[in-house]
Every structure is written in C-alpha cells, then in structure tokens.
Amino acid sequence: PRGLASRGCVNAPSPLLGCSFARGHGTACRRRAALSCRVIGAPRGAGESAVGGPGARRPWQEHFVDFPETLTLKMVSSQPKYDLIREVGRGSYGVVYEAVIRKTSARVAVKKIRCHAPENVELALREFWALSSIKSQHPNVIHLEECILQKDGMVQKMSHGSNSSLYLQLVETSLKGEIAFDPRSAYYLWFVMDFCDGGDMNEYLLSRKPNRKTNTSFMLQLSSALAFLHKNQIIHRDLKPDNILISQSRLDTSDLEPTLKVADFGLSKVCSASGQNPEEPVSVNKCFLSTACGTDFYMAPEVWEGHYTAKADIFALGIIIWAMLERITFIDTETKKELLGSYVKQGTEIVPVGEALLENPKMELLIPVKKKSMNGRMKQLIKEMLAANPQDRPDAFELELRLVQIAFKDNSWET
Ligand SMILES: Nc1ncnc2c1ncn2[C@@H]1O[C@H](COP(=O)(O)OP(=O)(O)O)[C@@H](O)[C@H]1O
Ligand SMILES: [Mg+2]
C-alpha cells in the first residue's frame, strides 16, 4: 500500500473534526483495483462461441436506442420506453440520468456505461451480476428494473447467464481483460433503477444540522441493507457516503426520515456456493477475496493486504457511522468536496484508519472524539466494527441486532 513503508511509528491517533484537512480520495486506487479484479461468477463456457448457427435464438429483440441526440430510449415497433430528462451524476465509468417511464410516468434513474474498455465492462458486469442475483427487494438497496445492452443502433434486454453472443462477448472481454468484440461498434450498457431524488449521504447530511433521529434511522437502514446483502452472498466492497443515495419521495407530509439506498455495485462480489457442497451457499464471512479494491478512507486493513471477507464491509460501515455521529469530514483534494469519513492524524497528515491499523494493529482509536457524542454501547460497537482483526468485528446480522437494541432498548445512542 501507498506510502506505508516510508512512514514511521504511528503517533497517538487524533481524529480531527471539521474540514480543515484535505487529501486525495483514492479514486485512482479504485480504478487500478477494477482493472485487476478477477471476474468470478461468469457463466461457464464464457468465451466459447455459444450462439449462432441454424436454430440459434435470435439475440436481438425489436428495440433500438436513439441517443443522445433525442435523449430518448426507443423501441422500434412502439413508442419510446423511457424519456431521459437530465443528467444527475457522472462517475468515472458512466453517466446517470433522471428518466421517466412513458407508460406509467414513473421516475427512474438510468445509468449508461460505455463498454469501450475492459475495465468499464468489468464494472458494469459486476453491478449487473450483483443486482440481478437479488431475488427479492430490500427498501434500502437500489433496485434494478432492467439492464439493456446496446450495440450501435440495436438493443436487447440483458439477462443473467444469457447465451446471446453479445453478452458472451462482454463476459469474455471482462475475463480476458481485452476487448473481445469489433472495436468499431459502439457498445453501451444501460441500467434502469430506482431514482433517488435526495442526493447522496454526504450532500444530505452535510447540508443539514446534525439530527439524532436521522442518525439513528440511517444506522438502522444501513445495517439492515448490509445484513440483506450479506444474506444474499453479496460483498459490496465500496461502501461510502457517495454510494449511499437518498430517496425523499415518500416524505411529503409525514415526518418520516428519508429512505437510504445502497447503490453502486461496480466493485461488488457475489460469493458462489462452497466448493465442498455446491448446494450450500457459502457464508460471506468465509469467502476470501484478494483484490485490494475500494476507496482508501473506508478500506479495512486486511483489504490493503489483499486477503479479506465480508467483514471489510463492516469496517467501511464503522467508518461511515463514526463519521456521521461525530460529523467528521475531510476535503477530497480532487473534487474539493467535503466528505464524511473518519481518519487518524499523523503529524500534519490525515491517514485512512485501515491504512494506519495495518501499520500498527494495536493502535487505540479515539472514539468518540467529542466527549458526549455517543453512549458506551455505541462507542463499544464502533470500536468493534473497526477492530484491526476482522474476526473481532461483528457480522452484519449481529450488527443489525445490536443497533436495533441500542436504538430501541436504550432509547438513545447518546450519553
Ligand atoms: N439511482 C440513482 N438515483 C439518483 N442518482 C443516482 C442514482 N445512481 C447514481 N446516481 C448519481 O450518479 C452518481 C454516480 O453513480 P454510481 O452508481 O455511484 O457510479 P460510479 O461508479 O460512477 O461512482 C452517484 O453518486 C449519484 O450522484
Ligand atoms: Mg459511486
């Protein structure tokens, strides 16, 4: 990991409040990581030519896409299905639009990823495999309505394990790390999902005064989402406030807290069945991964080392919850945005907690930073979530239970 060898002993850590410190946010790390991710969960035989010849299923449905000129996603034989209204987000791999389903007028978000580089294809497929593997819906996990694959002027709905030649070309591209289709064609993947109208967790929380009720609600929603994902064998690997979106639509008159949606599954991993018994789903806490990926401030120490399980998500959530309760932020040097995230201070530098723990696993974290910002149970729970040894961290199910107990039995996480 970057810079570790050059740093001396870790001083007594002192996480800082406020936003006077700035540091790069690790997007390059994420990009590098995505490049080196090994694609697992691809259908067997990917890369072999599986479609074609007499009797093969015709891969193209009667759709085509006419975009961006008209901002409209069209079907040939009927009216356009979606109208794209405006751009709402732009990541390193694609553009996200607010859109409307013509038939129902329902609002959706449409994420468009251009598949011109293996790295993009891999990210898109990871997101597709994770979201399409979820059989039921969870209120706090973004729901994938459909995924559409576009080649030049033609489109088809993408389905998991499809034998369409186009889908298999994408899988092959991702596995080999090189484009396995005609580079003269333009390939796009379109993800249609729930639209979140309240921005991300950074924007939502940092534009409001700290509120105990909101914090409690957010902790419960996040732990519930994580328990759901882990039960469904999904390790997210990039939990951070930018990837937690807010839906305010049901807020109209009630005083309910907004709904959080965990989004951006571009780095996620679906753990397959255990080797000994293929019928038995493997516990995500026993599924070992080796690609060091994520965003540095939220990465667990063992992720930096490249040997980790779903407990890495627990660590990331620990960083997020600690930062939320104490309003610990830093400025991302690239985007100049203020972001929620706890860290340790070494001299004049701020260092990700996971990176500091890797250097010194015995380091005592100063939780809470402000004396009265949380009660003993909450403090103990965050300390356990951020334990250097992943085995000392609660799993997602225990975490959910303990947070419910703290929220409802104690009536308050405050002192
Ligand atoms: N479902 C959605 N509703 C509203 N905005 C979204 C939605 N999904 C993504 N966005 C916006 O687009 C940005 C990038 O999307 P994301 O899925 O995180 O992709 P990336 O891999 O580029 O980070 C998000 O930070 C958010 O601002
Ligand atoms: Mg993102």
Side-chain angles (χ1 to χ4, degrees):
R2 160 184 46 76
L4 271 183
S6 61
R7 234 171 253 134
C9 282
V10 182
N11 300 326
S14 57
L16 292 168
L17 290 175
C19 54
S20 51
F21 284 82
R23 188 183 143 133
H25 188 34
T27 44
C29 160
R30 179 185 159 134
R31 223 169 276 138
R32 266 202 316 277
L35 263 177
S36 62
C37 271
R38 204 160 56 84
V39 173
I40 304 157
R44 234 171 253 150
E48 297 159 13
S49 108
V51 176
R57 197 166 62 89
R58 190 166 164 259
W60 300 109
Q61 296 175 353
E62 297 291 286
H63 296 73
F64 77 84
V65 178
D66 178 13
F67 186 81
E69 293 75 19
T70 60
L71 292 190
T72 306
L73 191 55
K74 277 188 184 173
M75 292 165 79
V76 156
S77 52
S78 59
Q79 289 297 305
K81 189 169 179 187
Y82 303 103
D83 286 329
L84 305 185
I85 297 171
R86 65 184 176 105
E87 185 179 317
V88 290
R90 189 172 277 266
S92 32
Y93 300 96
V95 188
V96 181
Y97 302 93
E98 177 182 350
V100 168
I101 304 177
R102 279 211 165 182
K103 250 190 187 165
T104 60
S105 300
R107 274 205 297 177
V108 286
V110 178
K111 180 163 159 178
K112 179 193 185 190
I113 298 180
R114 189 171 164 217
C115 301
H116 63 300
E119 180 186 346
N120 286 25
V121 175
E122 187 177 328
L123 248 111
L125 287 180
R126 279 187 183 282
E127 182 139 40
F128 174 68
W129 285 328
L131 290 175
S132 64
S133 75
I134 300 174
K135 298 290 170 264
S136 54
Q137 288 187 33
H138 187 282
N140 304 118
V141 174
I142 204 90
H143 170 65
L144 179 68
E145 199 82 39
E146 65 175 339
C147 180
I148 296 165
L149 180 49
Q150 174 195 359
K151 180 192 175 197
D152 299 322
M154 300 180 288
V155 302
Q156 66 178 154
K157 193 171 167 147
M158 197 155 94
S159 57
H160 197 60
S162 156
N163 66 353
S164 101
S165 57
L166 193 49
Y167 172 68
L168 292 178
Q169 280 167 8
L170 288 182
V171 173
E172 191 181 341
T173 296
S174 164
L175 287 170
K176 286 187 174 164
E178 60 186 44
I179 295 293
F181 46 81
D182 183 353
R184 287 169 301 182
S185 292
Y187 283 65
Y188 293 98
L189 278 169
W190 301 74
F191 290 83
V192 182
M193 37 190 182
D194 308 324
F195 178 66
C196 299
D197 55 353
D200 66 32
M201 199 175 153
N202 285 311
E203 292 157 0
Y204 186 87
L205 287 177
L206 298 179
S207 60
R208 288 166 176 78
K209 278 193 190 145
N211 179 308
R212 189 184 61 81
K213 234 174 97 189
T214 307
N215 289 345
T216 304
S217 165
F218 279 15
M219 285 192 293
L220 294 174
Q221 294 187 54
L222 286 173
S223 65
S224 174
L226 196 58
F228 175 81
L229 290 175
H230 287 188
K231 201 173 115 205
N232 281 281
Q233 267 82 53
I234 296 169
I235 308 182
H236 187 283
R237 301 203 290 190
D238 201 17
L239 286 176
K240 57 178 176 177
D242 319 37
N243 288 337
I244 298 165
L245 306 179
I246 313 281
S247 174
Q248 301 191 88
S249 46
R250 70 185 173 105
L251 274 180
D252 303 340
T253 49
S254 68
D255 63 351
L256 289 172
E257 295 298 331
T259 304
L260 293 186
K261 305 255 179 206
V262 173
D264 194 352
F265 285 74
L267 289 187
S268 66
K269 169 78 176 88
V270 184
C271 294
S272 45
S274 69
Q276 285 144 352
N277 183 0
E279 294 300 307
E280 195 184 313
V282 70
S283 158
V284 282
N285 299 312
K286 292 187 181 132
C287 172
F288 279 90
L289 307 178
S290 58
T291 305
C293 63
T295 303
D296 52 8
F297 274 78
Y298 310 89
M299 275 160 63
E302 71 276 12
V303 176
W304 292 85
E305 282 189 311
H307 189 66
Y308 62 95
T309 66
K311 291 286 182 77
D313 282 347
I314 302 286
F315 186 93
L317 200 51
I319 296 285
I320 297 167
I321 290 179
W322 180 17
M324 177 176 73
L325 296 186
E326 299 211 75
R327 279 287 164 112
I328 305 172
T329 64
F330 62 93
I331 300 283
D332 176 21
T333 47
E334 255 175 53
T335 61
K336 307 278 181 266
K337 261 180 76 177
E338 184 182 8
L339 304 171
L340 279 166
S342 39
Y343 49 81
V344 295
K345 199 184 162 234
Q346 295 176 358
T348 55
E349 213 188 336
I350 65 167
V351 178
V353 179
E355 189 183 335
L357 281 171
L358 182 62
E359 196 175 349
N360 178 9
K362 294 209 169 104
M363 181 181 71
E364 269 284 320
L365 293 169
L366 194 70
I367 304 173
V369 179
K370 290 190 251 172
K371 259 194 185 148
K372 291 191 172 172
S373 57
M374 62 183 82
N375 69 17
R377 280 183 184 230
M378 196 66 228
K379 166 184 157 175
Q380 178 61 25
L381 183 56
I382 295 179
K383 281 198 167 183
E384 286 178 38
M385 291 173 83
L386 299 178
N389 181 348
Q391 286 175 4
D392 295 337
R393 289 176 216 148
D395 64 26
F397 313 108
E398 182 190 335
L399 174 67
E400 187 183 16
L401 191 69
R402 283 173 65 181
L403 277 171
V404 169
Q405 284 168 350
I406 289 172
F408 295 107
K409 278 199 185 153
D410 292 0
N411 272 328
S412 164
W413 45 266
E414 290 178 320
T415 40

